[in-house]
Amino acid sequence: MKDILKNAGVEGELSGAFCGSWLSCTHGEVNSVSPVNGEVIGTASGAGPKEVETVVERAVEAFSTWRMVPAPKRGEIVRQIGLALRKNKKALGALVSLETGKIRAEGEGEVQEMIDIADFAVGQSRMLYGLGMHSERPGHRMYEQWHPLGPVGVITAFNFPVAVWSWNAMIALIAGDTVIWKPSSKAFLCAAAVTKIAAEVLEQNNCPAGVVNLLIGDRKSVGTPLVKNPKVPLISATGSVAMGRGIAAVVAGRLGRTILELGGNNGIVVTPSADLDLTARAIVFGAVGTAGQRCTTTRRIIVHQDVYDRLKDALIGAYRQVRIGDPLAEETLMGPLIDTGAVVDMMDALNRIESQGGEILYGGKVLSGGIYDTGTYVTPCICRADAQMPVVAEETFAPILYLIPYRDFDEAVSIHNGVPQGLSSAIFTNDLQESETFLSHRGSDCGIANVNIGTSGAEIGGAFGGEKETGGGREAGSDAWKAYMRRQTCTINWSGELPLAQGIEFDI
Ligand code: UN1
């Protein structure tokens, strides 16, 4: 454990605020407790409203310099950050595992996602394209350009403690913005380690202090003051729907911008023509991976009644094989939940499933003995449910999978879309009409819709995010960069005359 902290550069007491230098903070202490062994693995002095103010000021100041660095040069610095992450992939991946309980492969996979988005951002730094338009007036030229926006507040959750920052930060950095990161208080060591790596690269390139910043603390002492601050034009937040609602209201109140990536309740429709072996494997990764704690986790299987039993048996068979334990051990497939609070929430959901008429078909037990004595290890759970059960419409951040039988395809789509969340979705079928219907505008209502692959594990090249209560934000690839910049429409008159648009005459 000591080695993991040392290799990631986060042993010893940390300060809760960084803006080019570490500030001394006096807002209590924040502890990071590993769900792997229940031990406190790190402590930071907490930041408070005063530090938020200082850090925002520094980020504003740095922005005035950073925005004048040509975008491809900013891209070159992001390229170096990507190289530094490559060097630290194993060390960071192990820290992600230790602090969040993700298995090693997923911890490293998350760092790979950071590397991928860094590479993507390097290319994007030369492609911040605006459109040119034909003016309706003679001798006029119109075009649009994209300017840096300002400091961007990035609020991240425990479950992707480094990748989500990088989807935002790498794009914000090439866009010319500075970044203020408020990580989850449950995973701030990962954030401190990444901040150190990025800050070192920025320093080597003589960038001003305040391009990347960090604030460690809870919602009240850090989150709320950051979100309220009018000098932060964009808040990008990942977390629960309740958290997002609060942030949306505050930022809308000051007419700021948000990118919200909130809850998911992701479903897979399994039709009679599906390859059930492939389907079962995809479901197990989607439902059990990250111990069911991804926003893209597969939570609902809407399965045709003719293949219900076969799929159920295949899934139960596969669930029995899932090796649960120390996430840092090579053979483990499922680590612990983030804390005992998450276990309580899971057990509470299981009670409600039973009282609402569902049936637990497999798992759902808290493990004990040896490493399990932390009370954070559970067996993943499969339940039979029907779509009307209120608990099915909720996102329980735990490995609970609902099997919901359907009779006809339209019913399956309507069950699929019948929840308040709209992040990720998938269909397993070999029937072209079914897959095309699912992808059409009368099909899935989610931000992500897949055919014959699961709901989780999206690549960074696409825009990531969802509809309805998921919040509507898009991060990472495609043209998500536009949300981090301000668009300016420019009209240049080279005619020597002054014709007005819409043919208006206004001669004096
Ligand atoms: C999240 O859980 O907040 O698609 C993000 C995936 C990952 C990201 C999940 N690339 O599962």
Side-chain angles (χ1 to χ4, degrees):
M1 190 177 97
K2 287 238 150 47
D3 280 352
I4 293 178
L5 298 171
K6 189 163 159 256
N7 294 342
V10 287
E11 13 155 47
E13 173 99 4
L14 291 165
S15 145
F18 177 81
C19 50
S21 54
W22 295 90
L23 305 179
S24 82
C25 301
T26 52
H27 219 79
E29 283 204 331
V30 194
N31 288 324
S32 173
V33 179
S34 169
V36 180
N37 53 23
E39 285 175 31
V40 173
I41 55 168
T43 302
S45 56
K50 202 172 94 239
E51 286 76 33
V52 174
E53 194 56 43
T54 309
V55 167
V56 170
E57 284 304 330
R58 192 73 70 84
V60 169
E61 235 174 81
F63 174 64
S64 62
T65 313
W66 183 243
R67 67 181 172 181
M68 299 314 293
V69 176
K73 292 249 154 36
R74 297 193 294 253
E76 162 54 22
I77 294 168
V78 166
R79 190 184 69 82
Q80 294 174 33
I81 295 176
L83 290 179
L85 290 170
R86 278 179 170 87
K87 254 204 273 165
N88 287 282
K89 182 173 168 181
K90 282 215 171 319
L92 275 178
L95 182 64
V96 170
S97 287
L98 179 66
E99 194 172 29
T100 70
K102 282 186 177 195
I103 60 168
R104 208 183 262 273
E106 289 190 281
E108 286 180 16
E110 188 171 342
V111 182
Q112 186 58 47
E113 223 172 302
M114 304 178 80
I115 295 166
D116 293 343
I117 192 74
D119 288 357
F120 179 95
V122 177
Q124 190 68 62
S125 72
R126 292 182 182 268
M127 297 186 292
L128 302 174
Y129 298 136
L131 296 173
M133 301 92 187
H134 286 262
S135 170
E136 66 193 50
R137 288 172 275 192
H140 284 58
R141 182 167 72 82
M142 273 177 86
Y143 79 109
E144 66 183 16
Q145 54 181 348
W146 293 87
H147 287 318
L149 188 63
V152 177
V154 180
I155 297 174
T156 59
F158 76 83
N159 66 331
F160 272 82
V162 290
V164 172
W165 173 78
S166 63
W167 299 346
N168 286 280
M170 302 301 174
I171 301 295
L173 289 176
I174 59 106
D177 301 335
T178 54
V179 180
I180 305 168
W181 185 3
K182 186 226 170 286
S184 162
S185 317
K186 294 175 186 173
F188 65 82
L189 292 176
C190 291
V194 166
T195 298
K196 285 185 178 181
I197 291 169
E200 199 182 316
V201 173
L202 287 160
E203 214 180 297
Q204 283 161 0
N205 285 277
N206 301 315
C207 299
V211 174
V212 295
N213 306 278
L214 179 68
L215 286 162
I216 300 169
D218 61 20
R219 188 171 299 178
K220 197 159 149 258
S221 43
V222 168
T224 307
L226 177 65
V227 164
K228 279 189 175 161
N229 197 311
K231 292 180 185 143
V232 184
L234 170 64
I235 299 286
S236 175
T238 299
S240 69
V241 173
M243 178 213 71
R245 271 191 220 288
I247 290 177
V250 172
V251 181
R254 62 175 174 85
L255 301 177
R257 292 189 197 174
T258 48
I259 299 174
L260 297 174
E261 203 257 281
L262 311 174
N265 192 353
N266 316 295
I268 295 183
V269 174
V270 182
T271 79
S273 68
D275 173 339
L276 286 189
D277 177 51
L278 192 86
T279 308
R281 278 159 47 209
I283 293 172
V284 175
F285 175 68
V288 174
T290 328
Q293 300 172 110
R294 289 192 190 211
C295 55
T296 50
T297 289
T298 306
R299 307 201 181 279
R300 299 177 299 134
I301 303 300
I302 301 136
V303 50
H304 193 275
Q305 58 181 5
D306 290 354
V307 289
Y308 177 92
D309 283 329
R310 273 169 56 210
L311 184 68
K312 178 191 79 179
D313 293 346
L315 287 173
I316 292 176
Y319 269 51
R320 284 192 209 285
Q321 320 274 317
V322 173
R323 294 176 298 277
I324 303 161
D326 178 356
L328 287 151
E330 222 50 68
E331 66 281 3
T332 302
L333 283 180
M334 182 177 142
L337 299 192
I338 186 67
D339 54 22
T340 49
V343 175
V344 170
D345 289 348
M346 176 172 173
M347 295 307 132
D348 177 55
L350 294 182
N351 285 335
R352 277 179 299 142
I353 289 163
E354 287 188 308
S355 69
Q356 291 171 18
E359 185 195 347
I360 295 172
L361 303 171
Y362 178 83
K365 297 274 182 295
V366 183
L367 296 167
S368 60
I371 189 177
Y372 297 149
D373 275 340
T374 50
T376 48
Y377 293 84
V378 296
T379 47
C381 181
I382 303 176
C383 308
R384 185 185 169 105
D386 81 60
Q388 280 72 49
M389 289 163 47
V391 67
V392 173
E394 293 166 26
E395 178 193 45
T396 303
F397 222 53
I400 301 175
L401 183 68
Y402 300 112
L403 298 187
I404 306 167
Y406 78 86
R407 272 191 217 96
D408 73 82
F409 188 70
D410 286 345
E411 179 197 3
V413 173
S414 121
I415 293 173
H416 177 272
N417 291 346
V419 292
Q421 309 82 356
L423 179 55
S424 186
S425 62
I427 186 168
F428 278 75
T429 183
N430 281 315
D431 180 311
L432 182 74
Q433 284 187 345
E434 286 172 348
S435 64
E436 289 294 324
T437 305
F438 189 75
L439 298 178
S440 77
H441 33 293
R442 74 177 165 93
S444 163
D445 61 1
C446 292
I448 296 169
N450 296 333
V451 176
N452 293 340
I453 66 161
T455 57
S456 67
E459 301 174 19
I460 56 91
F464 183 87
E467 304 300 330
K468 303 195 287 184
E469 283 190 358
T470 303
R474 293 296 187 276
E475 299 162 326
S478 183
D479 65 351
W481 60 271
K482 290 180 174 170
Y484 300 81
M485 303 197 80
R486 62 184 171 87
R487 185 196 313 240
Q488 188 169 64
T489 303
C490 307
T491 309
I492 300 135
N493 174 9
W494 53 275
S495 70
E497 308 291 322
L498 195 65
L500 300 178
Q502 297 90 44
I504 292 174
E505 298 284 342
F506 202 79
D507 284 334
I508 298 171

